[in-house]
């Protein structure tokens, strides 16, 4: 059984910052790519940021220069530092990871954490 648990969401004023964390747990052999997605009301889920197991990153154009994804491979954790937040960043943020278990590789999602940015 593998679980991803996000934390760090909340309500913040425009221009503020939040740091999201994602902690995988369970029988994990290794983790490859880790992502942060978000889904705003009435919109499709979109990729916000991605980091590979060797630290290569890429970002959605809408967050470049404001968000930073990072990971701690020793702890299997991934983070999303969000600065200069805008009301349009309001969404449920999800962690996703490619995880290798005894049974092989799988893609797992967290339950999501709400980020609300007030104007």
């Amino acid at each position: 059984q593998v679980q991803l648990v996000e934390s760090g969401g909340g309500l913040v004023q425009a221009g503020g910052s939040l740091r999201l964390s994602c902690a995988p747990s369970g029988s994990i052999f290794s983790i490859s790519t880790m992502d942060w997605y978000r889904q705003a009301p009435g919109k499709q889920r979109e990729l916000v940021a991605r980091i590979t197991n060797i630290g290569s990153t890429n970002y959605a154009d809408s967050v470049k220069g404001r968000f930073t994804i990072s990971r701690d491979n020793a702890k299997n954790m991934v983070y999303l530092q969000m600065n200069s937040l805008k009301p349009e960043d309001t969404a449920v943020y999800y962690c996703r990871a490619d995880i290798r278990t005894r049974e092989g590789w799988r893609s797992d999602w967290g339950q999501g954490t709400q980020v609300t940015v007030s104007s």
Side-chain angles (χ1 to χ4, degrees), residues 56-115:
S56 298
T57 60
N58 54 58
Y59 298 91
D61 287 343
S62 58
V63 307
K64 282 181 181 176
R66 300 188 298 121
F67 290 11
T68 302
I69 188 171
S70 61
R71 63 191 286 171
D72 182 334
N73 288 332
K75 297 180 180 179
N76 286 334
M77 291 190 66
V78 64
Y79 307 96
L80 186 68
Q81 178 67 43
M82 305 185 294
N83 299 329
S84 303
L85 282 161
K86 304 175 181 180
E88 51 263 44
D89 294 318
T90 295
V92 178
Y93 283 70
Y94 298 90
C95 172
R96 192 209 67 82
D98 292 319
I99 296 174
R100 182 169 173 243
T101 66
R102 179 193 307 244
E103 289 77 29
W105 286 96
R106 52 188 285 164
S107 178
D108 283 278
W109 293 81
Q111 82 289 348
T113 185
Q114 176 71 46
V115 171

Side-chain angles (χ1 to χ4, degrees), residues 2-5 21-36 51 53 70-79 95-101 105:
V2 173
Q3 282 189 317
L4 300 180
V5 179
S21 299
C22 175
S25 63
S27 298
I28 297 171
F29 284 12
S30 62
I31 300 179
S32 180
T33 300
M34 304 182 84
D35 304 325
W36 286 99
I51 187 166
N53 58 333
S70 61
R71 63 191 286 171
D72 182 334
N73 288 332
K75 297 180 180 179
N76 286 334
M77 291 190 66
V78 64
Y79 307 96
C95 172
R96 192 209 67 82
D98 292 319
I99 296 174
R100 182 169 173 243
T101 66
W105 286 96

